[in-house]
């Protein structure tokens, strides 16, 4: 419960002193149902080929109800896409306030957790992500770090400044954490010197804003 209160306090602190920093969190311009819950919106193109086909098949295999926007000869669809991204890389998956360009099965599942819960994951992945939650099933802020991680020092300082509690696992000295890291990093080429997570959500940029958004989404 202490972790939850600290995380909520951090969000409130940032919102009070710099509300523009979190304005994108509070606005509901993403993909949401009328009830306010997140939904999946997938932008594709009939000539996109393998990436779009893989994304469509993945959502189907996970029994995710989703809206598909085919951009071929679809001016309104392209206009809608520009509300989310300025990139032409397809497919584009929007889940709630979160956007993913291209296709990566693990990244898709980490976003779709917001809709489907942990049933989206394999049994092995469930065992990994279980370590990212506390005894009250609230998401932890987790860093998997290596000795070469130059970004980690700045991130620790930022977390301390905002009063955000986190757990850091040194993959050079913690064999169990290294196993989890290898499972997670495999989907991203295994070349990263560190991974940052909030619960099931990987935060690609080592920045506090992305962490706060994930906390808001997953609480």
């Amino acid at each position: 419960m202490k972790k939850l209160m600290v995380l909520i306090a951090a969000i409130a602190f940032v919102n009070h002193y710099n509300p523009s920093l979190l304005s994108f969190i509070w606005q509901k311009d993403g993909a949401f149902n009328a009830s306010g819950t997140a939904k999946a919106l997938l932008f594709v193109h009939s000539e996109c080929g393998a990436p779009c086909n893989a994304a469509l098949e993945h959502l189907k295999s996970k029994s995710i109800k989703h809206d598909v926007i085919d951009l071929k000869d679809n001016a309104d669809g392209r206009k809608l896409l520009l509300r989310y991204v300025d990139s032409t890389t397809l497919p584009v998956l929007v889940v709630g306030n979160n956007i993913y360009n291209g296709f990566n099965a693990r990244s898709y599942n980490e976003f779709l957790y917001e809709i489907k819960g942990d049933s989206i994951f394999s049994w092995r992945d469930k065992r990994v992500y279980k370590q990212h939650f506390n005894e009250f099933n609230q998401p932890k802020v987790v860093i998997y770090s290596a000795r070469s991680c130059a970004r980690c020092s700045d991130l620790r300082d930022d977390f301390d400044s905002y009063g955000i509690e986190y757990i850091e696992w040194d993959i050079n000295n913690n064999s169990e954490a290294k196993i989890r890291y290898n499972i997670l990093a495999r989907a991203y080429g295994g070349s990263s010197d560190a991974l940052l997570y909030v619960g099931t959500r990987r935060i690609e940029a080592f920045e506090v804003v992305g962490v706060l958004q994930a906390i808001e989404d997953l609480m």
Side-chain angles (χ1 to χ4, degrees), residues 100-144:
Y100 190 85
N101 293 79
F103 175 71
N104 179 290
R106 181 171 295 283
S107 295
Y108 270 42
N109 288 346
E110 289 171 352
F111 284 140
L112 293 169
Y113 171 85
E114 192 174 340
I115 296 174
K116 193 79 171 179
D118 67 4
S119 63
I120 198 75
F121 300 122
S122 68
W123 67 268
R124 184 177 65 174
D125 289 343
K126 288 180 183 179
R127 292 178 62 182
V128 171
Y129 292 121
K130 183 179 180 180
Q131 302 301 317
H132 296 191
F133 290 81
N134 64 20
E135 63 271 27
F136 303 105
N137 203 35
Q138 296 157 352
K140 300 176 184 177
V141 178
V142 173
I143 307 173
Y144 291 91

mmCIF file of all heavy atoms in Angstrom, residues 100-144:
data_model
loop_
_atom_site.group_PDB
_atom_site.id
_atom_site.type_symbol
_atom_site.label_atom_id
_atom_site.label_comp_id
_atom_site.label_asym_id
_atom_site.label_seq_id
_atom_site.Cartn_x
_atom_site.Cartn_y
_atom_site.Cartn_z
ATOM 1 N N TYR A 100 1.860 2.130 -30.655
ATOM 2 C CA TYR A 100 3.018 1.335 -31.060
ATOM 3 C C TYR A 100 3.085 1.283 -32.575
ATOM 4 O O TYR A 100 2.125 0.897 -33.239
ATOM 5 C CB TYR A 100 2.938 -0.092 -30.492
ATOM 6 C CG TYR A 100 4.222 -0.861 -30.693
ATOM 7 C CD1 TYR A 100 5.265 -0.732 -29.782
ATOM 8 C CD2 TYR A 100 4.417 -1.669 -31.813
ATOM 9 C CE1 TYR A 100 6.464 -1.405 -29.969
ATOM 10 C CE2 TYR A 100 5.610 -2.348 -32.005
ATOM 11 C CZ TYR A 100 6.622 -2.212 -31.080
ATOM 12 O OH TYR A 100 7.810 -2.868 -31.279
ATOM 13 N N ASN A 101 4.240 1.677 -33.129
ATOM 14 C CA ASN A 101 4.474 1.611 -34.570
ATOM 15 C C ASN A 101 5.142 0.295 -34.922
ATOM 16 O O ASN A 101 6.118 -0.097 -34.278
ATOM 17 C CB ASN A 101 5.389 2.753 -35.022
ATOM 18 C CG ASN A 101 4.740 4.107 -34.888
ATOM 19 O OD1 ASN A 101 4.678 4.665 -33.796
ATOM 20 N ND2 ASN A 101 4.273 4.645 -35.986
ATOM 21 N N GLY A 102 4.634 -0.365 -35.958
ATOM 22 C CA GLY A 102 5.204 -1.632 -36.375
ATOM 23 C C GLY A 102 4.556 -2.788 -35.640
ATOM 24 O O GLY A 102 3.465 -2.667 -35.085
ATOM 25 N N PHE A 103 5.242 -3.934 -35.655
ATOM 26 C CA PHE A 103 4.702 -5.104 -34.953
ATOM 27 C C PHE A 103 5.789 -5.803 -34.168
ATOM 28 O O PHE A 103 6.864 -6.114 -34.692
ATOM 29 C CB PHE A 103 4.075 -6.108 -35.926
ATOM 30 C CG PHE A 103 3.622 -7.366 -35.245
ATOM 31 C CD1 PHE A 103 2.513 -7.350 -34.411
ATOM 32 C CD2 PHE A 103 4.333 -8.549 -35.400
ATOM 33 C CE1 PHE A 103 2.106 -8.506 -33.749
ATOM 34 C CE2 PHE A 103 3.934 -9.712 -34.747
ATOM 35 C CZ PHE A 103 2.816 -9.691 -33.920
ATOM 36 N N ASN A 104 5.522 -6.018 -32.896
ATOM 37 C CA ASN A 104 6.349 -6.833 -32.021
ATOM 38 C C ASN A 104 5.383 -7.519 -31.058
ATOM 39 O O ASN A 104 4.634 -6.846 -30.339
ATOM 40 C CB ASN A 104 7.356 -5.980 -31.246
ATOM 41 C CG ASN A 104 8.227 -6.795 -30.305
ATOM 42 O OD1 ASN A 104 7.759 -7.312 -29.300
ATOM 43 N ND2 ASN A 104 9.500 -6.906 -30.635
ATOM 44 N N ALA A 105 5.355 -8.838 -31.077
ATOM 45 C CA ALA A 105 4.350 -9.584 -30.318
ATOM 46 C C ALA A 105 4.398 -9.253 -28.830
ATOM 47 O O ALA A 105 3.352 -9.069 -28.190
ATOM 48 C CB ALA A 105 4.529 -11.084 -30.536
ATOM 49 N N ARG A 106 5.601 -9.168 -28.248
ATOM 50 C CA ARG A 106 5.687 -8.875 -26.820
ATOM 51 C C ARG A 106 5.176 -7.474 -26.512
ATOM 52 O O ARG A 106 4.430 -7.267 -25.554
ATOM 53 C CB ARG A 106 7.119 -9.030 -26.303
ATOM 54 C CG ARG A 106 7.225 -8.752 -24.804
ATOM 55 C CD ARG A 106 8.582 -9.112 -24.244
ATOM 56 N NE ARG A 106 8.842 -10.536 -24.319
ATOM 57 C CZ ARG A 106 8.321 -11.449 -23.486
ATOM 58 N NH1 ARG A 106 7.498 -11.069 -22.526
ATOM 59 N NH2 ARG A 106 8.626 -12.717 -23.618
ATOM 60 N N SER A 107 5.565 -6.498 -27.314
ATOM 61 C CA SER A 107 5.099 -5.128 -27.088
ATOM 62 C C SER A 107 3.580 -5.045 -27.217
ATOM 63 O O SER A 107 2.909 -4.371 -26.423
ATOM 64 C CB SER A 107 5.758 -4.173 -28.078
ATOM 65 O OG SER A 107 7.151 -4.098 -27.855
ATOM 66 N N TYR A 108 3.025 -5.731 -28.218
ATOM 67 C CA TYR A 108 1.573 -5.742 -28.367
ATOM 68 C C TYR A 108 0.918 -6.305 -27.115
ATOM 69 O O TYR A 108 -0.044 -5.737 -26.578
ATOM 70 C CB TYR A 108 1.168 -6.576 -29.588
ATOM 71 C CG TYR A 108 1.073 -5.793 -30.875
ATOM 72 C CD1 TYR A 108 2.029 -4.837 -31.205
ATOM 73 C CD2 TYR A 108 0.035 -6.004 -31.774
ATOM 74 C CE1 TYR A 108 1.949 -4.121 -32.387
ATOM 75 C CE2 TYR A 108 -0.050 -5.289 -32.961
ATOM 76 C CZ TYR A 108 0.905 -4.358 -33.267
ATOM 77 O OH TYR A 108 0.819 -3.646 -34.430
ATOM 78 N N ASN A 109 1.448 -7.420 -26.617
ATOM 79 C CA ASN A 109 0.843 -8.047 -25.436
ATOM 80 C C ASN A 109 0.945 -7.148 -24.214
ATOM 81 O O ASN A 109 0.019 -7.088 -23.386
ATOM 82 C CB ASN A 109 1.512 -9.392 -25.154
ATOM 83 C CG ASN A 109 1.139 -10.445 -26.170
ATOM 84 O OD1 ASN A 109 0.194 -10.269 -26.947
ATOM 85 N ND2 ASN A 109 1.867 -11.539 -26.181
ATOM 86 N N GLU A 110 2.067 -6.444 -24.084
ATOM 87 C CA GLU A 110 2.246 -5.566 -22.923
ATOM 88 C C GLU A 110 1.240 -4.422 -22.945
ATOM 89 O O GLU A 110 0.771 -3.981 -21.888
ATOM 90 C CB GLU A 110 3.681 -5.056 -22.889
ATOM 91 C CG GLU A 110 4.674 -6.155 -22.511
ATOM 92 C CD GLU A 110 6.124 -5.758 -22.666
ATOM 93 O OE1 GLU A 110 6.399 -4.671 -23.209
ATOM 94 O OE2 GLU A 110 6.998 -6.549 -22.257
ATOM 95 N N PHE A 111 0.885 -3.934 -24.118
ATOM 96 C CA PHE A 111 -0.164 -2.913 -24.212
ATOM 97 C C PHE A 111 -1.551 -3.528 -24.049
ATOM 98 O O PHE A 111 -2.427 -2.951 -23.393
ATOM 99 C CB PHE A 111 -0.080 -2.179 -25.547
ATOM 100 C CG PHE A 111 1.036 -1.180 -25.631
ATOM 101 C CD1 PHE A 111 1.772 -1.047 -26.792
ATOM 102 C CD2 PHE A 111 1.362 -0.379 -24.556
ATOM 103 C CE1 PHE A 111 2.806 -0.127 -26.882
ATOM 104 C CE2 PHE A 111 2.390 0.549 -24.631
ATOM 105 C CZ PHE A 111 3.112 0.678 -25.799
ATOM 106 N N LEU A 112 -1.760 -4.698 -24.652
ATOM 107 C CA LEU A 112 -3.080 -5.323 -24.628
ATOM 108 C C LEU A 112 -3.450 -5.868 -23.253
ATOM 109 O O LEU A 112 -4.616 -6.180 -22.998
ATOM 110 C CB LEU A 112 -3.148 -6.441 -25.673
ATOM 111 C CG LEU A 112 -3.073 -5.964 -27.125
ATOM 112 C CD1 LEU A 112 -2.886 -7.158 -28.060
ATOM 113 C CD2 LEU A 112 -4.308 -5.172 -27.517
ATOM 114 N N TYR A 113 -2.469 -5.963 -22.361
ATOM 115 C CA TYR A 113 -2.748 -6.341 -20.976
ATOM 116 C C TYR A 113 -3.808 -5.425 -20.372
ATOM 117 O O TYR A 113 -4.627 -5.845 -19.557
ATOM 118 C CB TYR A 113 -1.456 -6.260 -20.152
ATOM 119 C CG TYR A 113 -1.652 -6.416 -18.664
ATOM 120 C CD1 TYR A 113 -1.701 -7.675 -18.073
ATOM 121 C CD2 TYR A 113 -1.784 -5.299 -17.838
ATOM 122 C CE1 TYR A 113 -1.880 -7.812 -16.695
ATOM 123 C CE2 TYR A 113 -1.952 -5.420 -16.473
ATOM 124 C CZ TYR A 113 -2.007 -6.683 -15.910
ATOM 125 O OH TYR A 113 -2.180 -6.809 -14.559
ATOM 126 N N GLU A 114 -3.806 -4.161 -20.784
ATOM 127 C CA GLU A 114 -4.773 -3.187 -20.276
ATOM 128 C C GLU A 114 -6.206 -3.590 -20.611
ATOM 129 O O GLU A 114 -7.147 -3.238 -19.903
ATOM 130 C CB GLU A 114 -4.460 -1.804 -20.859
ATOM 131 C CG GLU A 114 -5.191 -0.656 -20.192
ATOM 132 C CD GLU A 114 -4.727 0.695 -20.705
ATOM 133 O OE1 GLU A 114 -3.613 0.776 -21.266
ATOM 134 O OE2 GLU A 114 -5.482 1.662 -20.546
ATOM 135 N N ILE A 115 -6.373 -4.359 -21.687
ATOM 136 C CA ILE A 115 -7.702 -4.810 -22.110
ATOM 137 C C ILE A 115 -7.983 -6.229 -21.623
ATOM 138 O O ILE A 115 -9.068 -6.523 -21.117
ATOM 139 C CB ILE A 115 -7.816 -4.776 -23.652
ATOM 140 C CG1 ILE A 115 -7.684 -3.336 -24.160
ATOM 141 C CG2 ILE A 115 -9.131 -5.393 -24.123
ATOM 142 C CD1 ILE A 115 -7.631 -3.239 -25.673
ATOM 143 N N LYS A 116 -7.000 -7.105 -21.751
ATOM 144 C CA LYS A 116 -7.202 -8.541 -21.593
ATOM 145 C C LYS A 116 -6.743 -9.073 -20.236
ATOM 146 O O LYS A 116 -7.132 -10.185 -19.843
ATOM 147 C CB LYS A 116 -6.433 -9.262 -22.707
ATOM 148 C CG LYS A 116 -6.765 -10.723 -22.877
ATOM 149 C CD LYS A 116 -8.057 -10.930 -23.646
ATOM 150 C CE LYS A 116 -8.253 -12.396 -24.007
ATOM 151 N NZ LYS A 116 -9.507 -12.635 -24.720
ATOM 152 N N GLY A 117 -5.928 -8.321 -19.510
ATOM 153 C CA GLY A 117 -5.354 -8.847 -18.278
ATOM 154 C C GLY A 117 -4.259 -9.855 -18.584
ATOM 155 O O GLY A 117 -3.810 -9.996 -19.728
ATOM 156 N N ASP A 118 -3.829 -10.618 -17.554
ATOM 157 C CA ASP A 118 -2.675 -11.497 -17.762
ATOM 158 C C ASP A 118 -2.988 -12.731 -18.598
ATOM 159 O O ASP A 118 -2.073 -13.504 -18.918
ATOM 160 C CB ASP A 118 -2.025 -11.893 -16.435
ATOM 161 C CG ASP A 118 -2.898 -12.779 -15.568
ATOM 162 O OD1 ASP A 118 -4.002 -13.162 -16.004
ATOM 163 O OD2 ASP A 118 -2.472 -13.091 -14.440
ATOM 164 N N SER A 119 -4.247 -12.923 -18.985
ATOM 165 C CA SER A 119 -4.567 -14.029 -19.889
ATOM 166 C C SER A 119 -3.947 -13.823 -21.270
ATOM 167 O O SER A 119 -3.901 -14.750 -22.077
ATOM 168 C CB SER A 119 -6.082 -14.204 -20.020
ATOM 169 O OG SER A 119 -6.680 -13.054 -20.597
ATOM 170 N N ILE A 120 -3.457 -12.621 -21.519
ATOM 171 C CA ILE A 120 -2.803 -12.324 -22.794
ATOM 172 C C ILE A 120 -1.442 -12.998 -22.894
ATOM 173 O O ILE A 120 -0.909 -13.197 -23.987
ATOM 174 C CB ILE A 120 -2.655 -10.797 -22.978
ATOM 175 C CG1 ILE A 120 -2.406 -10.420 -24.452
ATOM 176 C CG2 ILE A 120 -1.541 -10.235 -22.127
ATOM 177 C CD1 ILE A 120 -3.594 -10.498 -25.320
ATOM 178 N N PHE A 121 -0.870 -13.403 -21.730
ATOM 179 C CA PHE A 121 0.503 -13.896 -21.691
ATOM 180 C C PHE A 121 0.574 -15.412 -21.636
ATOM 181 O O PHE A 121 -0.337 -16.082 -21.154
ATOM 182 C CB PHE A 121 1.235 -13.332 -20.471
ATOM 183 C CG PHE A 121 1.323 -11.831 -20.442
ATOM 184 C CD1 PHE A 121 0.812 -11.113 -19.376
ATOM 185 C CD2 PHE A 121 1.925 -11.145 -21.479
ATOM 186 C CE1 PHE A 121 0.891 -9.739 -19.343
ATOM 187 C CE2 PHE A 121 2.006 -9.758 -21.461
ATOM 188 C CZ PHE A 121 1.485 -9.058 -20.386
ATOM 189 N N SER A 122 1.715 -15.937 -22.060
ATOM 190 C CA SER A 122 2.012 -17.349 -21.892
ATOM 191 C C SER A 122 2.321 -17.616 -20.421
ATOM 192 O O SER A 122 2.582 -16.691 -19.647
ATOM 193 C CB SER A 122 3.227 -17.744 -22.742
ATOM 194 O OG SER A 122 4.406 -17.131 -22.237
ATOM 195 N N TRP A 123 2.342 -18.885 -20.026
ATOM 196 C CA TRP A 123 2.616 -19.222 -18.631
ATOM 197 C C TRP A 123 4.005 -18.759 -18.215
ATOM 198 O O TRP A 123 4.213 -18.321 -17.085
ATOM 199 C CB TRP A 123 2.469 -20.726 -18.404
ATOM 200 C CG TRP A 123 3.506 -21.570 -19.117
ATOM 201 C CD1 TRP A 123 3.405 -22.130 -20.355
ATOM 202 C CD2 TRP A 123 4.815 -21.917 -18.625
ATOM 203 N NE1 TRP A 123 4.557 -22.805 -20.689
ATOM 204 C CE2 TRP A 123 5.436 -22.707 -19.641
ATOM 205 C CE3 TRP A 123 5.506 -21.665 -17.452
ATOM 206 C CZ2 TRP A 123 6.726 -23.219 -19.502
ATOM 207 C CZ3 TRP A 123 6.796 -22.180 -17.312
ATOM 208 C CH2 TRP A 123 7.385 -22.943 -18.325
ATOM 209 N N ARG A 124 4.975 -18.841 -19.146
ATOM 210 C CA ARG A 124 6.331 -18.409 -18.818
ATOM 211 C C ARG A 124 6.389 -16.910 -18.598
ATOM 212 O O ARG A 124 7.033 -16.418 -17.658
ATOM 213 C CB ARG A 124 7.304 -18.817 -19.931
ATOM 214 C CG ARG A 124 8.756 -18.477 -19.602
ATOM 215 C CD ARG A 124 9.703 -18.944 -20.680
ATOM 216 N NE ARG A 124 9.484 -18.236 -21.937
ATOM 217 C CZ ARG A 124 10.259 -18.367 -23.002
ATOM 218 N NH1 ARG A 124 11.278 -19.208 -22.984
ATOM 219 N NH2 ARG A 124 10.003 -17.699 -24.109
ATOM 220 N N ASP A 125 5.702 -16.157 -19.459
ATOM 221 C CA ASP A 125 5.683 -14.712 -19.298
ATOM 222 C C ASP A 125 4.970 -14.305 -18.012
ATOM 223 O O ASP A 125 5.379 -13.351 -17.342
ATOM 224 C CB ASP A 125 4.995 -14.050 -20.499
ATOM 225 C CG ASP A 125 5.846 -14.120 -21.754
ATOM 226 O OD1 ASP A 125 7.058 -14.372 -21.639
ATOM 227 O OD2 ASP A 125 5.291 -13.931 -22.855
ATOM 228 N N LYS A 126 3.920 -15.030 -17.652
ATOM 229 C CA LYS A 126 3.227 -14.728 -16.402
ATOM 230 C C LYS A 126 4.172 -14.840 -15.219
ATOM 231 O O LYS A 126 4.119 -14.030 -14.284
ATOM 232 C CB LYS A 126 2.036 -15.664 -16.210
ATOM 233 C CG LYS A 126 0.855 -15.387 -17.129
ATOM 234 C CD LYS A 126 -0.266 -16.378 -16.861
ATOM 235 C CE LYS A 126 -1.430 -16.164 -17.820
ATOM 236 N NZ LYS A 126 -2.524 -17.130 -17.593
ATOM 237 N N ARG A 127 5.042 -15.842 -15.232
ATOM 238 C CA ARG A 127 6.002 -16.035 -14.138
ATOM 239 C C ARG A 127 6.987 -14.869 -14.078
ATOM 240 O O ARG A 127 7.404 -14.457 -12.986
ATOM 241 C CB ARG A 127 6.748 -17.352 -14.312
ATOM 242 C CG ARG A 127 5.865 -18.576 -14.119
ATOM 243 C CD ARG A 127 6.640 -19.862 -14.348
ATOM 244 N NE ARG A 127 7.732 -20.025 -13.397
ATOM 245 C CZ ARG A 127 8.571 -21.060 -13.423
ATOM 246 N NH1 ARG A 127 8.436 -22.011 -14.331
ATOM 247 N NH2 ARG A 127 9.542 -21.140 -12.526
ATOM 248 N N VAL A 128 7.359 -14.341 -15.237
ATOM 249 C CA VAL A 128 8.274 -13.201 -15.268
ATOM 250 C C VAL A 128 7.583 -11.948 -14.736
ATOM 251 O O VAL A 128 8.089 -11.272 -13.822
ATOM 252 C CB VAL A 128 8.786 -12.951 -16.702
ATOM 253 C CG1 VAL A 128 9.563 -11.629 -16.775
ATOM 254 C CG2 VAL A 128 9.664 -14.101 -17.165
ATOM 255 N N TYR A 129 6.418 -11.646 -15.301
ATOM 256 C CA TYR A 129 5.731 -10.413 -14.930
ATOM 257 C C TYR A 129 5.218 -10.443 -13.485
ATOM 258 O O TYR A 129 5.001 -9.382 -12.881
ATOM 259 C CB TYR A 129 4.562 -10.149 -15.879
ATOM 260 C CG TYR A 129 4.986 -9.805 -17.290
ATOM 261 C CD1 TYR A 129 4.572 -10.577 -18.370
ATOM 262 C CD2 TYR A 129 5.798 -8.706 -17.548
ATOM 263 C CE1 TYR A 129 4.950 -10.268 -19.661
ATOM 264 C CE2 TYR A 129 6.180 -8.390 -18.840
ATOM 265 C CZ TYR A 129 5.756 -9.173 -19.897
ATOM 266 O OH TYR A 129 6.131 -8.855 -21.173
ATOM 267 N N LYS A 130 5.024 -11.622 -12.926
ATOM 268 C CA LYS A 130 4.580 -11.726 -11.536
ATOM 269 C C LYS A 130 5.535 -10.999 -10.605
ATOM 270 O O LYS A 130 5.125 -10.424 -9.585
ATOM 271 C CB LYS A 130 4.462 -13.202 -11.135
ATOM 272 C CG LYS A 130 3.941 -13.409 -9.724
ATOM 273 C CD LYS A 130 3.820 -14.893 -9.397
ATOM 274 C CE LYS A 130 3.302 -15.094 -7.970
ATOM 275 N NZ LYS A 130 3.185 -16.545 -7.640
ATOM 276 N N GLN A 131 6.812 -10.987 -10.953
ATOM 277 C CA GLN A 131 7.813 -10.315 -10.135
ATOM 278 C C GLN A 131 7.730 -8.797 -10.245
ATOM 279 O O GLN A 131 8.409 -8.077 -9.500
ATOM 280 C CB GLN A 131 9.217 -10.777 -10.544
ATOM 281 C CG GLN A 131 9.435 -12.273 -10.435
ATOM 282 C CD GLN A 131 9.206 -12.786 -9.033
ATOM 283 O OE1 GLN A 131 9.640 -12.164 -8.058
ATOM 284 N NE2 GLN A 131 8.516 -13.917 -8.900
ATOM 285 N N HIS A 132 6.901 -8.302 -11.165
ATOM 286 C CA HIS A 132 6.749 -6.863 -11.376
ATOM 287 C C HIS A 132 5.567 -6.290 -10.606
ATOM 288 O O HIS A 132 5.205 -5.127 -10.821
ATOM 289 C CB HIS A 132 6.561 -6.565 -12.867
ATOM 290 C CG HIS A 132 7.739 -6.913 -13.713
ATOM 291 N ND1 HIS A 132 7.838 -6.520 -15.037
ATOM 292 C CD2 HIS A 132 8.868 -7.617 -13.453
ATOM 293 C CE1 HIS A 132 8.975 -6.981 -15.541
ATOM 294 N NE2 HIS A 132 9.613 -7.649 -14.600
ATOM 295 N N PHE A 133 4.959 -7.096 -9.747
ATOM 296 C CA PHE A 133 3.816 -6.639 -8.956
ATOM 297 C C PHE A 133 4.056 -6.947 -7.490
ATOM 298 O O PHE A 133 4.725 -7.928 -7.152
ATOM 299 C CB PHE A 133 2.526 -7.327 -9.429
ATOM 300 C CG PHE A 133 2.053 -6.864 -10.786
ATOM 301 C CD1 PHE A 133 2.617 -7.376 -11.944
ATOM 302 C CD2 PHE A 133 1.059 -5.910 -10.902
ATOM 303 C CE1 PHE A 133 2.200 -6.951 -13.200
ATOM 304 C CE2 PHE A 133 0.636 -5.475 -12.146
ATOM 305 C CZ PHE A 133 1.201 -5.995 -13.304
ATOM 306 N N ASN A 134 3.495 -6.109 -6.605
ATOM 307 C CA ASN A 134 3.658 -6.352 -5.181
ATOM 308 C C ASN A 134 2.573 -7.295 -4.669
ATOM 309 O O ASN A 134 1.769 -7.827 -5.451
ATOM 310 C CB ASN A 134 3.671 -5.034 -4.394
ATOM 311 C CG ASN A 134 2.344 -4.280 -4.480
ATOM 312 O OD1 ASN A 134 1.290 -4.840 -4.803
ATOM 313 N ND2 ASN A 134 2.388 -2.999 -4.174
ATOM 314 N N GLU A 135 2.540 -7.492 -3.351
ATOM 315 C CA GLU A 135 1.597 -8.450 -2.768
ATOM 316 C C GLU A 135 0.145 -8.016 -2.904
ATOM 317 O O GLU A 135 -0.766 -8.821 -2.740
ATOM 318 C CB GLU A 135 1.937 -8.675 -1.292
ATOM 319 C CG GLU A 135 1.809 -7.458 -0.405
ATOM 320 C CD GLU A 135 3.101 -6.641 -0.332
ATOM 321 O OE1 GLU A 135 3.892 -6.692 -1.295
ATOM 322 O OE2 GLU A 135 3.299 -5.954 0.695
ATOM 323 N N PHE A 136 -0.078 -6.737 -3.215
ATOM 324 C CA PHE A 136 -1.437 -6.234 -3.431
ATOM 325 C C PHE A 136 -1.794 -6.194 -4.918
ATOM 326 O O PHE A 136 -2.788 -5.586 -5.310
ATOM 327 C CB PHE A 136 -1.583 -4.835 -2.824
ATOM 328 C CG PHE A 136 -1.259 -4.774 -1.357
ATOM 329 C CD1 PHE A 136 -0.068 -4.215 -0.930
ATOM 330 C CD2 PHE A 136 -2.135 -5.285 -0.419
ATOM 331 C CE1 PHE A 136 0.243 -4.153 0.422
ATOM 332 C CE2 PHE A 136 -1.834 -5.238 0.939
ATOM 333 C CZ PHE A 136 -0.642 -4.668 1.361
ATOM 334 N N ASN A 137 -0.948 -6.811 -5.743
ATOM 335 C CA ASN A 137 -1.127 -6.860 -7.197
ATOM 336 C C ASN A 137 -1.060 -5.467 -7.823
ATOM 337 O O ASN A 137 -1.675 -5.208 -8.855
ATOM 338 C CB ASN A 137 -2.443 -7.540 -7.580
ATOM 339 C CG ASN A 137 -2.395 -8.090 -8.997
ATOM 340 O OD1 ASN A 137 -1.356 -8.556 -9.462
ATOM 341 N ND2 ASN A 137 -3.513 -8.037 -9.692
ATOM 342 N N GLN A 138 -0.297 -4.589 -7.217
ATOM 343 C CA GLN A 138 -0.069 -3.255 -7.761
ATOM 344 C C GLN A 138 1.277 -3.248 -8.483
ATOM 345 O O GLN A 138 2.243 -3.868 -8.019
ATOM 346 C CB GLN A 138 -0.070 -2.214 -6.638
ATOM 347 C CG GLN A 138 -1.405 -2.094 -5.940
ATOM 348 C CD GLN A 138 -1.271 -1.513 -4.548
ATOM 349 O OE1 GLN A 138 -0.166 -1.329 -4.034
ATOM 350 N NE2 GLN A 138 -2.395 -1.217 -3.926
ATOM 351 N N PRO A 139 1.361 -2.553 -9.618
ATOM 352 C CA PRO A 139 2.590 -2.599 -10.418
ATOM 353 C C PRO A 139 3.766 -1.929 -9.723
ATOM 354 O O PRO A 139 3.635 -0.862 -9.125
ATOM 355 C CB PRO A 139 2.210 -1.852 -11.697
ATOM 356 C CG PRO A 139 1.069 -0.973 -11.300
ATOM 357 C CD PRO A 139 0.312 -1.725 -10.253
ATOM 358 N N LYS A 140 4.913 -2.569 -9.808
ATOM 359 C CA LYS A 140 6.159 -1.977 -9.338
ATOM 360 C C LYS A 140 6.838 -1.246 -10.505
ATOM 361 O O LYS A 140 6.634 -1.582 -11.670
ATOM 362 C CB LYS A 140 7.123 -3.058 -8.855
ATOM 363 C CG LYS A 140 6.656 -3.922 -7.714
ATOM 364 C CD LYS A 140 7.718 -4.994 -7.439
ATOM 365 C CE LYS A 140 7.291 -5.975 -6.374
ATOM 366 N NZ LYS A 140 8.319 -7.048 -6.176
ATOM 367 N N VAL A 141 7.649 -0.274 -10.165
ATOM 368 C CA VAL A 141 8.563 0.322 -11.130
ATOM 369 C C VAL A 141 9.860 -0.470 -11.023
ATOM 370 O O VAL A 141 10.460 -0.563 -9.949
ATOM 371 C CB VAL A 141 8.817 1.806 -10.829
ATOM 372 C CG1 VAL A 141 9.812 2.398 -11.828
ATOM 373 C CG2 VAL A 141 7.502 2.591 -10.854
ATOM 374 N N VAL A 142 10.275 -1.077 -12.146
ATOM 375 C CA VAL A 142 11.381 -2.040 -12.131
ATOM 376 C C VAL A 142 12.442 -1.639 -13.146
ATOM 377 O O VAL A 142 12.123 -1.304 -14.292
ATOM 378 C CB VAL A 142 10.867 -3.456 -12.473
ATOM 379 C CG1 VAL A 142 12.024 -4.427 -12.629
ATOM 380 C CG2 VAL A 142 9.889 -3.950 -11.410
ATOM 381 N N ILE A 143 13.690 -1.667 -12.707
ATOM 382 C CA ILE A 143 14.819 -1.479 -13.618
ATOM 383 C C ILE A 143 15.649 -2.755 -13.621
ATOM 384 O O ILE A 143 16.056 -3.241 -12.569
ATOM 385 C CB ILE A 143 15.736 -0.316 -13.189
ATOM 386 C CG1 ILE A 143 14.942 0.970 -12.983
ATOM 387 C CG2 ILE A 143 16.848 -0.106 -14.225
ATOM 388 C CD1 ILE A 143 15.784 2.094 -12.389
ATOM 389 N N TYR A 144 15.866 -3.318 -14.812
ATOM 390 C CA TYR A 144 16.876 -4.362 -14.997
ATOM 391 C C TYR A 144 18.115 -3.647 -15.525
ATOM 392 O O TYR A 144 18.095 -3.116 -16.639
ATOM 393 C CB TYR A 144 16.425 -5.400 -16.015
ATOM 394 C CG TYR A 144 15.287 -6.276 -15.589
ATOM 395 C CD1 TYR A 144 13.967 -5.925 -15.853
ATOM 396 C CD2 TYR A 144 15.509 -7.493 -14.945
ATOM 397 C CE1 TYR A 144 12.906 -6.744 -15.481
ATOM 398 C CE2 TYR A 144 14.470 -8.323 -14.568
ATOM 399 C CZ TYR A 144 13.166 -7.941 -14.838
ATOM 400 O OH TYR A 144 12.123 -8.756 -14.469
#
